[in-house]
Every structure is written in structure tokens, then in C-alpha cells.
Amino acid sequence: MRSEPPSSPQVVEDGGEEDEEELSGGEEADLRSSSGRGSLLTRRGITLRVLLKDGLVEPGDGVLAIHYLGKNFVGDLLTDGKIRWVETGQIFNSPSAWATHCKRLVNPAKKSGCGWASVRYRGQKLVQYKTTWLHKYQPSADMSLVSEEDDDEDEEEGKAAVQADDKNKNTKPGLHDVMVSRRTDRERIPVRYCTLGTRDAARDPHTLVELSAFSAINRFQPFNVAVSSNVLLLMDFHCHLTTSEVVGYLGGRWDTNTQLLTVLRAFPCRTRLADRDSASAVEEEICQNLFMRGLSLVGWYHSHPRGPALPSLQDIDSQMDHQLRLQGSNNGFQPCLGIICGPYYHGNQGVASTITPFWVVPPPEQRPNDYGIPVAVEVTYVQDNFLTSDVLNEMMLLVDYYRAAPDLVQFNQYWCPDTTMMDKIKGSLSCHAPKDQAYSQILEHVYSQLGSMH
């Protein structure tokens, strides 16, 4: 889900006397073009825009946080690398500017914010992502490029951290971090389709929309759908591994005689949404896998890691594009199923992810500028007898892909007071368990690999 700045925000540029300032877009481009990846970027050159461009972080609502002297501040990371403070809507050009502003509210004598060490992205300090970037793209770089200022934590924050540690000695490890993220997750309230009206460029494309029933729009579902439990298991596993949004494709068969769409395989995309360079290669590999198995592309899935499993306006448009593309030029009808998985939304019932199959009905002909109508698809779930080697192999490939990712879920932390993240994923996957109970021993091997990733 992407975040865009409001139309006329107040931009705050003051980052404090001692703090670095982010380069402008032009300066950053000049620096990149003149030096390239082969030359070392200076510390100032490694900005949020660089991390966004190279896929180490992704835009999102409520993904940034500052904890200072007992006060919590939450921010949105925008697509241009700027930060929007959730409480006021103010826009800040750099982590330092935001950190300085917030800290001065608590402590007016504060002169600087140590932004990269103070601001956390999905629970980890931004300076760690800067270090990851250097390790990946400039392994010979002097790490002091990162640590000159950033590891100089404020004395007051250090004291506060020690006090917090003393206070929580006897609590379960990681619980504080999880509960903080639970409080700061920004609640996005879905809207009803009937309130949308004509397309409006000013409307947030990440607005969530409630699903309609086919009967509510005087339609019958024009096809039947059967989904293999192994599809759900692999898809749910993929969505649990990272705090970032993921995407994958669905393979199966469409029977025109029975009007039955059978979904038999999930094909996770092992790539970042922001990494357009590798996306085409990944999609080509999936197409080859579909062909070798005699399957057709029948849909796609993606995750809303911490939000409701409902489509956004952007998802509705994407789904409509997929439907038109699968239909082809001969105007023959073949449905394209969209699935949204919400693994870590605290509004879910229990540990099971919410999985939402949906389809989009085009707007009425007399209202071509309206959004498509997202509708809930009734699905029959078919219980598989055993876990296939294909699915197990895909799971291990995903483990390897996310092993060193900065946005890997910390499975030893707590999802809620009595449930770890590992318990959470195990409980959710058990909902898609094959009939053959031998699968549990196989999955324990996968889980042991997850446990070793920390």
C-alpha cells in the first residue's frame, strides 16, 4: 500500500544545527550519476529516497516511529522519501528534521534529533537499513560513513531505555515491541462503495472499500471457484514472513463447460514490489512453471500485513486490469480471481489470517468514470491429502529469500501476550492442514529454519 502526501501540507525543513540534511532530488541524482554504485556514496548520499529506490524500505502508513522520554510519535513514509507526522499531517524532509521537531516538543532544550538513530522503520532503527545498504552495494565502504553521527544515541534516551529494561526484566522478551506496534498501527476505516461516486484524483488510492455481495447489485456470481488447501497454505506462509506487502500469482484451470475455476497452485513472487528490474524475470519464471505443469494463470494474491483484508481503490483498478488482460482480445470470458491475505491485522479472529477472495464488476455503462465494484466471491475450499514437494520447495525458497531481509518478521517476539509470532504462523497454517498428518513433521523442519533466521 503506498502513501502520498496531502495536497497542501505544512513542510518542516529544520533538522537542527548538528544534523545532516537530506539531498535534494537533483543533488542525489547528480551524486549517483557522477559516482555510480562503484564509487562510495557519502553518508549524506544514503537518504530515504535511496533506500526506497533500492527496495530496502517501502512507503507505508504508520511504519515510522520515535520513542523519546516516554513519548511515542508515529509517521508515514511517503513515496518521495519524506515523512508525514500522523498526529498533525506535517511533512518533514528528513528523519533528522522530524526527530528534532518531536524531541523539542518534549524537551525544548534539545538542539538536534540524531534522526537516523532515533527513527525506527517497522521496529528497527533507520541506521541499520543504511548499514544494510552499504553492505549490499558498497561492501568495501568504511562503516564509519554510517556511524559518525547515527550511533550517538541521546543520553536521555539511553537512561530511559535502561529504566524500561529494569522495569520489564520479568516480562516476556519482545512483548513490548509488539504491543507498541499494535498501538501505533494506523487504523484505516473501510468505506462503502456507494459513498465513492465518480473518480476523484484527490482521493487517497489506498482507501479501503467494503466488499459488496453479487445479490446486492442484482447479479449472480458468473462462475464457481474451487481452491486447493495447499494454495492457501503456501500463500499464507508467504504473507507471514515479512512486514512488507507481498504478491504472487495463482495457477489453475478454467472449464468453460462447467464454469468452474479451479485454483491448484500458488506462485510467490520472490521480489520486492519496488524492484521493477527483477520483476520481469520473476514473472517469466512463473510463466514457465505454469506452462510446464499444464496450468493457466487464473489470478493473483497480495497481502495487507497489518490492515484489513479488503481491497483498496488501487487494488480495485489492478484487479480490473488483470481481468481484462486474462480475457484477451477474443472477448471470451475467463475469470481472474483476486485474493487478499491479512496475516497480522489485530482485528482478525484468533491467530488465523483473514483471506478474502474478490472480483470486480465494471461500473454501469452510463457511469464509466466510476470505480469498479468490488464483490465477494464464494469459494469452495478443497482439502488436499498431503503436502506436495512443490509446495515444500517453494516454502524453503521463500525462507532463503527473506533470511537476510531487514523487514523479516521476528518470530521470537510476541504477537499478543501469550502467543509468539512463531505460534501465530503455526496456528494460521494449521487451518489449511492436509489430511495426512505427516505434514506436521515436515513443517517443523521449515519452522526450525525460521527460528534460525534471528
Side-chain angles (χ1 to χ4, degrees):
M1 317 301 288
R2 307 295 165 139
S3 296
E4 300 293 344
S7 55
S8 57
Q10 177 185 352
V11 179
V12 180
E13 298 182 351
D14 179 22
E17 299 171 9
E18 303 168 13
D19 279 306
E20 69 196 65
E21 288 297 327
E22 297 281 346
L23 298 176
S24 69
E27 289 173 322
E28 182 179 293
D30 291 343
L31 184 149
R32 279 183 170 275
S33 60
S34 63
S35 64
R37 284 259 172 80
S39 302
L40 292 181
L41 281 179
T42 66
R43 183 186 52 166
R44 289 181 68 243
I46 307 170
T47 65
L48 277 176
R49 281 187 294 273
V50 171
L51 299 184
L52 283 164
K53 182 178 185 300
D54 291 327
L56 291 184
V57 299
E58 293 182 343
D61 294 339
V63 297
L64 299 175
I66 296 172
H67 311 301
Y68 179 63
L69 297 180
K71 301 294 184 182
N72 297 319
F73 304 88
V74 182
D76 302 331
L77 178 56
L78 307 180
T79 54
D80 59 2
K82 294 182 180 180
I83 298 169
R84 179 173 58 210
W85 185 18
V86 169
E87 187 169 336
T88 65
Q90 290 169 282
I91 304 296
F92 296 84
N93 284 334
S94 69
S96 298
W98 184 43
T100 300
H101 181 82
C102 293
K103 290 182 179 182
R104 284 176 177 169
L105 293 176
V106 181
N107 176 15
K110 189 70 180 157
K111 291 183 178 180
S112 64
C114 294
W116 284 80
S118 301
V119 179
R120 294 176 182 265
Y121 171 83
R122 300 191 185 280
Q124 286 192 324
K125 294 177 184 177
L126 283 177
V127 66
Q128 294 175 269
Y129 292 87
K130 187 182 284 191
T131 304
T132 299
W133 188 97
L134 280 172
H135 278 308
K136 183 174 182 180
Y137 294 114
Q138 295 177 352
S140 61
D142 181 357
M143 287 302 111
S144 65
L145 286 174
V146 180
S147 60
E148 289 170 14
E149 166 224 338
D150 300 322
D151 61 2
D152 181 23
E153 282 289 344
D154 295 316
E155 182 180 350
E156 304 97 295
E157 290 173 274
K159 290 178 181 176
V162 170
Q163 292 168 356
D165 286 343
D166 290 339
K167 183 177 179 180
N168 295 311
K169 272 182 184 176
N170 299 320
T171 62
K172 295 177 180 178
L175 175 59
H176 172 72
D177 292 337
V178 174
M179 300 311 288
V180 166
S181 69
R182 184 171 182 172
R183 286 198 304 270
T184 58
D185 283 348
R186 191 176 180 186
E187 184 72 23
R188 296 195 301 160
I189 307 300
V191 302
R192 300 182 64 186
Y193 176 81
C194 62
T195 67
L196 292 176
T198 304
R199 286 179 179 274
D200 181 357
R203 189 184 292 275
D204 183 355
H206 315 298
T207 300
L208 298 180
V209 183
E210 293 179 359
L211 294 179
S212 301
F214 276 99
S215 59
I217 56 174
N218 297 316
R219 300 278 191 101
F220 291 102
Q221 184 171 309
F223 51 86
N224 298 312
V225 181
V227 178
S228 154
S229 62
N230 277 344
V231 170
L232 299 176
L233 187 142
L234 180 55
M235 178 179 65
D236 200 12
F237 181 76
H238 185 197
C239 296
H240 268 92
L241 294 183
T242 171
T243 57
S244 300
E245 194 170 312
V246 304
V247 69
Y249 292 103
L250 303 173
R253 298 188 178 92
W254 167 240
D255 189 323
T256 56
N257 295 321
T258 60
Q259 297 289 287
L260 175 63
L261 185 74
T262 307
V263 184
L264 299 170
R265 272 295 310 270
F267 295 92
C269 290
R270 294 186 297 279
T271 184
R272 300 275 168 185
L273 295 185
D275 188 359
R276 300 188 181 278
D277 294 337
S278 64
S280 57
V282 170
E283 291 181 359
E284 178 61 30
E285 180 184 355
I286 290 174
C287 286
Q288 291 176 1
N289 282 334
L290 285 166
F291 178 77
M292 287 189 298
R293 289 167 174 77
L295 301 176
S296 300
L297 181 63
V298 296
W300 67 300
Y301 71 85
H302 73 285
S303 67
H304 290 179
R306 294 188 179 93
L310 291 172
S312 66
L313 295 177
Q314 189 175 35
D315 295 336
I316 291 170
D317 286 343
S318 295
Q319 173 65 19
M320 182 63 74
D321 288 343
H322 284 305
Q323 289 175 195
L324 293 174
R325 194 173 297 117
L326 277 190
Q327 181 173 295
S329 57
N330 59 2
N331 292 322
F333 176 75
Q334 177 184 330
C336 170
L337 184 68
I339 296 180
I340 302 172
C341 179
Y344 292 115
Y345 177 51
H346 281 95
N348 294 344
Q349 296 296 316
V351 296
S353 300
T354 299
I355 294 176
T356 305
F358 77 105
W359 199 61
V360 174
V361 174
E365 290 184 7
Q366 65 272 24
R367 299 181 61 88
N369 292 324
D370 282 8
Y371 295 95
I373 308 169
V375 289
V377 173
E378 292 185 8
V379 171
T380 299
Y381 295 109
V382 180
Q383 193 70 43
D384 285 307
N385 291 322
F386 53 88
L387 193 67
T388 66
S389 58
D390 271 356
V391 171
L392 180 60
N393 182 56
E394 284 284 357
M395 294 174 80
M396 295 309 298
L397 288 173
L398 286 169
V399 168
D400 288 340
Y401 179 77
Y402 288 106
R403 185 179 298 277
D407 52 0
L408 172 72
V409 167
Q410 303 299 302
F411 292 101
N412 58 346
Q413 291 187 350
Y414 276 76
W415 161 246
C416 64
D418 58 354
T419 305
T420 65
M421 293 291 196
M422 184 66 78
D423 295 332
K424 164 76 176 70
I425 188 172
K426 287 181 178 181
S428 190
L429 295 194
S430 69
C431 300
H432 323 302
K435 293 178 180 178
D436 180 6
Q437 293 302 306
Y439 90 98
S440 59
Q441 296 178 349
I442 299 173
L443 286 187
E444 282 302 326
H445 170 67
V446 179
Y447 298 142
S448 69
Q449 294 297 308
L450 291 181
S452 68
M453 291 161 72
H454 306 295

